Amino acid sequence: MEVAVIGVGQTSFGTFPKKSLKALFFEAFQEALRDVEKGLDPKEIEEAWIGTLSTGGGQLGNQAALLCETVGLAGVSAHHVENACASGGFAFRNAVMAIRSGRCRVAMAAGIEKMTDLPRERNRLWLGVSGDVEWERLAGTNFPGIYAMLARRHMYEHGTLKEWITGVAVKNHANAVHNPKAQFRFPIDLERAMRAPMLADPLTVFDACGITDGAAVAIVCRADEARRYTDRPVMVMGSGAATDYLAIHDRKDLTGLLAARKAAAQAYKEAGVGPKDIQVAEVHDCFTIAEIMAYEDLGFCEDGQGGFLIRDGLTKLDGPIPVNPSGGLKAKGHPIGATGIGQICEIVHQLRGDVQEPIRQVKGARIGLTHNVGGSGGTAVVHIFRSPE
Amino acid sequence: MSSYVSLPIFASTLRERYRLEEPRCRSCGTLNVPARMACIECGRGDFDWEKLTGRGRVFTYTVIARGGAPTEFDEQQIMSGSLVVAIVELEEGAKVVAQLTDCDPEEVRVGSPLKAVFRKLYDQEGVVRYGYKFVMDEERE
Ligand SMILES: [Zn+2]
């Protein structure tokens, strides 16, 4: 059973102190419904998966049911999916599996996070709970330090230069300038980013994401019924997912994420395509080094050569393989649970050729990929999509 | 706010944290650090515990700026400013994550020789949690 995406919607990503969790979800859901070209009666949605870390703990239990009732879906079977920053991507995978199984005709995959309500101290707690707590966090480091150590090892083994790593942020900010839904819509220059205050050496504050609110929704259905809802269904060609040891010291290789490699291999196999066929990708750049590793984990280049893609400008909007045309996590924003679905929203628009701002539209892209990672690679999920015929 | 490992659970790891004793798998010979119920290499569960030398080398490291470490280390960062954390490759083969202490961050390199020392890690509920950190081993190249 093939699966099609028939509608996507997302809030702007940013700081919205006056919008509640429910208000954000309602906004994203309404946009997804409006995006279904020929209309969809919400009552047709039979099952829902909602990815969120539940940052802040305001509503930990039964969050999926609460958000469903908020948008008029009381009664629908709903599941809360939590796989840290990959929660959204895993929510989508579940919806895909449900349609493939034949059990559902129409399903919803969503993601949401409300991070800016919290005092700074409480936010810092929530940001560090998705790595290994007992040995890694309580030895003195959470994600900035962990990604910094991955960056250091990449530089040591492969001669990757810091300016290539930080070049990821420069590229992604340049893209976000043209995305009205992005959080940080300003360009940054390499010189300044290199001189910015250190966060965890060699990463500066410009190598990291901010704190973000946002929600995103994708509606999927059986491909053989998709034309009832839209003339431009985007097909799900492949889905892959994997896990790895949470603590990075338990891993043999520290220059890539094995979970992402396994997820990518599965997704490519299902889709019957390879890295060279991908024409646009949204990848998980929670820290700049993560995008360099993603190039290698996804096979966009040989191992160790991820930095060259930035050095040579190959992943810019006008390059041969544009990556993060939305601005990525770095500049579009990273509302943890919403991120994976936000990536899918972007790729669906790219493949339908209806990105609102023509400057961001990757011309003629037919096959696109999303890559969503949880924590420092404890979880990873990859999807491959095809444009409407 | 801080994340939480209860005192009894922390106490159950003192053999590792205080005396650097760790289990080696009887089936495949892999040293498991920290201890696991199922061997990280072969998945079996019979181990012989051994005392480690505490010697190792920097596999990778970072210098975390003030405020960049987990909240449990806020008090330490107020006093020390930055905090040096490394993945240490032990002489016996396994890797661990630990702080480097009493060192000049400028002198740390991938490959620098290290030795384990016993130090305060952090405070929780008025109880000090102790364990190992590493210092530069001046006696080795
Ligand atoms: Zn074994």
Side-chain angles (χ1 to χ4, degrees), chain A residues 140-220:
Chain A
T141 184
N142 48 26
F143 294 125
I146 290 163
Y147 275 96
M149 289 193 283
L150 295 172
R152 172 99 54 205
R153 191 69 198 178
H154 205 282
M155 294 164 83
Y156 174 81
E157 283 190 36
H158 301 304
T160 304
L161 298 183
K162 178 67 201 335
E163 63 199 68
W164 302 340
I165 295 174
T166 303
V168 169
V170 177
K171 169 183 72 73
N172 291 348
H173 270 261
N175 294 350
V177 167
H178 308 293
N179 184 354
K181 290 198 164 167
Q183 182 173 19
F184 301 114
R185 300 185 61 198
F186 55 85
I188 59 172
D189 74 72
L190 185 62
E191 304 286 302
R192 227 184 99 220
M194 295 283 286
R195 285 198 317 269
M198 207 52 93
L199 180 64
D201 185 28
L203 303 181
T204 74
V205 292
F206 274 105
D207 291 295
C209 285
I211 301 289
T212 313
D213 300 329
V217 170
I219 300 168
V220 294

Side-chain angles (χ1 to χ4, degrees), chain B residues 25 27-30 39 41-43:
Chain B
C25 176
S27 304
C28 74
T30 300
C39 172
E41 193 63 37
C42 72

